[in-house]
Amino acid sequence: METLTGITNGPAVNEDRALATPFLRCLIRLIRAQDTHGAWEGKSDAELLADFILTKEQRRQIPIIGDPDPDVLWRLQIFYACVGLVIEERSGLVASPIMLIGQEGFGRVLLTTGRLVVLSKTLRDVHRFGFGTLGKLAEAGTKMVDDAIAVIDVYPNVARA
Amino acid sequence: METLTGITNGPAVNEDRALATPFLRCLIRLIRAQDTHGAWEGKSDAELLADFILTKEQRRQIPIIGDPDPDVLWRLQIFYACVGLVIEERSGLVASPIMLIGQEGFGRVLLTTGRLVVLSKTLRDVHRFGFGTLGKLAEAGTKMVDDAIAVIDVYPNVARA
């Protein structure tokens, strides 16, 4: 199976392709919707997502002591809200996220539709939430959506209960 | 159907009967388990649960402005942890709670077993969390457990997924 990161035409092409995925298009829409003062109007889509991207080196430099930064919590919230919205786009079912972040950067996130848990994930090292490339960000979100849709397909009646 | 509050032998008998329910026995066990310094050893079970009981008058006097008191959040946590444990006692399935309290006393609690949502509740007026009598506390918890068990019976394979 060809993955988003599997293409070899260089980073720029990868970026454009990643930005065109339904997941990143939704994420950009969500972020722009919060730009109430128009401060980000001049920014490109890739610039808006820049803070989601962390190189290995950058990740390593972020201390994992104490509470995670409010900005990283905001990105985490919006990332899982986006997973929920894309699930809704594809299935027609509202997927509500519930996220709990403890004081040391550990947490848990659940996405449910009806009585069905479509995503359940333990979060670790929340301080360092980020992805190596835009392609990896798109891929991670898309995979969560795909997995959720697969669960809905197995238990359609529970997802509508 | 006879309810716990439906008996007419007076409050003391009601109390004893409520304290003997699996729900309150579990709740007392959970509370005593947190008494690491033995400060509550001399307290009776009813005394330990006293803060869960609020008369209408008392409820009305609690302001619902600002963040809820940490003590009330602790009682809320332990109440839903107890619902989860009694579900486990009865079904053999681990029920994990996840609770999110917003800044104004609104929140959401979910209990899941496997891929099944066995309890989903919007919390309001968290500041005023409490019950009129021990009987009402026992009844409320027992009803949540009963409802969850009923859902597990409908979707046994999802609860084990």
Side-chain angles (χ1 to χ4, degrees), chain B residues 9-30:
Chain B
N9 308 39
V13 175
N14 276 352
E15 258 196 16
D16 286 348
R17 193 164 157 189
L19 289 169
T21 56
F23 187 78
L24 286 199
R25 274 192 288 123
C26 180
L27 190 57
I28 290 156
R29 225 160 49 232
L30 275 176

Side-chain angles (χ1 to χ4, degrees), chain B residues 20-74:
Chain B
T21 56
F23 187 78
L24 286 199
R25 274 192 288 123
C26 180
L27 190 57
I28 290 156
R29 225 160 49 232
L30 275 176
I31 294 171
R32 292 214 184 267
Q34 300 208 1
D35 184 25
T36 40
H37 301 293
W40 304 331
E41 264 174 29
K43 287 200 181 188
S44 71
D45 291 347
E47 281 171 324
L48 279 186
L49 298 177
D51 288 337
F52 285 88
I53 310 304
L54 290 176
T55 63
K56 269 190 188 161
E57 185 57 28
Q58 287 171 319
R59 282 174 60 85
R60 219 175 298 132
Q61 281 169 3
I62 300 173
I64 52 168
I65 294 165
D67 288 351
D69 192 76
D71 285 350
V72 85
L73 293 180
W74 179 80

Side-chain angles (χ1 to χ4, degrees), chain A residues 98-100 110 115 117 155 161, chain B residues 98-100 115 117 155 161:
Chain A
I98 179 167
M99 186 182 299
L100 198 72
L110 281 188
R115 288 215 166 262
V117 177
Y155 304 109
Chain B
I98 178 166
M99 185 181 301
L100 199 70
R115 288 215 165 261
V117 177
Y155 304 109

Side-chain angles (χ1 to χ4, degrees), chain A residues 96-100 108 110 112 114-119 151 155 157-158 161, chain B residues 96-100 108 110 112 114-119 151 155 157-158 161:
Chain A
S96 358
I98 179 167
M99 186 182 299
L100 198 72
R108 207 180 152 209
L110 281 188
T112 61
R115 288 215 166 262
L116 187 63
V117 177
V118 295
L119 181 148
V151 177
Y155 304 109
N157 56 333
V158 189
Chain B
S96 358
I98 178 166
M99 185 181 301
L100 199 70
R108 208 179 152 210
L110 281 187
T112 60
R115 288 215 165 261
L116 187 64
V117 177
V118 295
L119 181 149
V151 176
Y155 304 109
N157 57 330
V158 189

